[in-house]
Amino acid sequence: MTLPEVVSLGKLTVVPPFEIPGIGTAAAYASGDALGTKFELAGVPKSGRIIEARFHDLDNEGIDKELWVLDGNFTAQADNDAFALSDADNLQVIAVFVFSTWRPATNNQVGLTLNTPAAYFAPHGKLFCQIKTLGVDNIAAGSIPRLSLVIERHA
């Protein structure tokens, strides 16, 4: 699934908050499960640095997550199945962002990652991604989490 339109602002490319696809609501997830399905970010710079990544937790759970980013297509796991990569797919990983710092806002939270920036080269102008949960999620209908990124283009 290709998501969303990116916005270029000079040297910066902004991926505005978008709903993470394929998340089942009212389903219990186990730690280590795929949260949603694989998605593509098309139109990103072919060479750049992901300088900011945010997990918008509209369900207000504050459970740590990982965003796996690869530079090529990969065999993804189905939503709510154990997240696993083949050895070949592992070699395409360019970053794993861990959302473990949460900023609460009473009704929701924003998860921040401390392991940015991450340089990458994506020859087709696409990044391939999937989220892995590190806890026991149960997402309410109407509260599907969102993801956003800021990328700095290399000259």
Side-chain angles (χ1 to χ4, degrees):
M1 173 175 259
T2 300
L3 300 170
E5 287 292 322
V6 299
V7 178
S8 292
L9 306 165
K11 285 187 75 170
L12 296 181
T13 298
V14 176
V15 180
F18 64 91
E19 192 172 280
I20 297 167
I23 292 177
T25 58
Y29 289 82
S31 182
D33 281 354
L35 183 70
T37 55
K38 172 178 66 176
F39 55 92
E40 293 178 24
L41 298 174
V44 299
K46 291 182 178 180
S47 177
R49 291 182 331 142
I50 299 170
I51 59 174
E52 207 169 304
R54 292 183 214 99
F55 187 92
H56 304 270
D57 180 2
L58 304 183
D59 203 36
N60 201 23
E61 293 184 329
I63 296 171
D64 293 355
K65 308 284 186 292
E66 293 176 347
L67 168 62
W68 288 71
V69 183
L70 292 81
D71 61 8
N73 203 356
F74 67 100
T75 303
Q77 304 309 305
D79 175 53
N80 213 350
D81 282 353
F83 182 86
L85 288 178
S86 70
D87 291 346
D89 289 339
N90 180 287
L91 299 176
Q92 297 184 93
V93 172
I94 58 171
V96 179
F97 296 108
V98 180
F99 298 100
S100 59
T101 301
W102 296 94
R103 297 293 183 248
T106 305
N107 299 317
N108 49 56
Q109 301 185 41
V110 173
L112 306 173
T113 181
L114 301 177
N115 58 325
T116 51
Y120 72 87
F121 176 67
H124 303 292
K126 292 182 184 178
L127 298 174
F128 300 83
C129 309
Q130 191 163 20
I131 302 282
K132 174 180 151 184
T133 186
L134 300 179
V136 181
D137 288 278
N138 193 326
I139 308 297
S143 297
I144 302 293
R146 287 163 174 70
L147 184 69
S148 62
L149 300 169
V150 178
I151 299 169
E152 181 180 51
R153 184 180 68 251
H154 286 168

